[in-house]
Structures are given as structure tokens and as C-alpha cells.
Amino acid sequence: MSDPSFSTNLLAYGSSKTALNAITLAFAKEFLGTSIKINAANPGYVATDLNGHSGPRRVAEAAAIAIRLATLDADGPTGGFFNDAGVKPWCAARWSET
């Protein structure tokens, strides 16, 4: 497995992320047909007090995705998970035998 997060099984973290994705989809469905857009954002590994400022990204860089999603127009996406590059699969792990 090439994903570095694959070697660690963080049950609480993974479960909370799954729940976040489920509620994002539930709210997006609830507000479908309105001007309200419900999306989740991945700001990346940000240098904060929580991680001893070990993240490579500044808070201002990480905030850009939240600002972009908060200012979507009426035709913008809803029910997605996004990072700086765009839509991101909510489960990035790739299972393989190798």
C-alpha cells in the first residue's frame, strides 16, 4: 500500500471522517433544489498549535478551500469533498495485494 496513512489504523479518526461524509451527503440531499450548497473540505496538513506547527501549510493557505466553497454560485457543486485540486474521493485508500 503506497498511501502513508494505510499503515496506521485510527478507528476513531476514520469513523469520524465516515460520519462527516455521511452527514455532508444527508444535508446536501435535504437542501437539493435550493441555493444552499453543502460540501466538505480538506485543508491539508496545516501548521497549527494542535500539531506543534509541524504541518507544511499556513492557515491562510488552508482557508482558501473553505472560502472557495463558501462563495460558490447557484450552479456550484453540492455533496462533495474538496481540496485545493478540486473534488476528492472521500475514501482515498486503494486496496491491493501488493
Side-chain angles (χ1 to χ4, degrees):
M1 182 65 196
S2 62
D3 187 327
S5 64
F6 183 78
S7 63
T8 306
N9 191 13
L10 302 172
L11 183 59
Y13 181 80
S15 298
S16 70
K17 292 301 179 187
T18 299
L20 176 62
N21 288 313
I23 201 163
T24 298
L25 291 174
F27 278 122
K29 183 179 176 183
E30 185 69 24
F31 289 97
L32 199 60
T34 73
S35 62
I36 298 171
K37 306 297 178 197
I38 310 293
N39 292 293
N42 176 0
Y45 188 41
V46 183
T48 64
D49 290 345
L50 182 65
N51 61 28
H53 298 274
S54 62
R57 302 191 73 194
R58 296 182 333 235
V59 172
E61 292 173 302
I65 183 62
I67 292 167
R68 189 173 88 216
L69 292 173
T71 57
L72 288 171
D73 61 22
D75 295 328
T78 192
F81 181 41
F82 296 86
N83 65 8
D84 291 338
V87 70
K88 182 174 172 65
W90 74 269
C91 181
R94 300 289 181 257
W95 300 88
S96 71
E97 297 296 320
T98 59

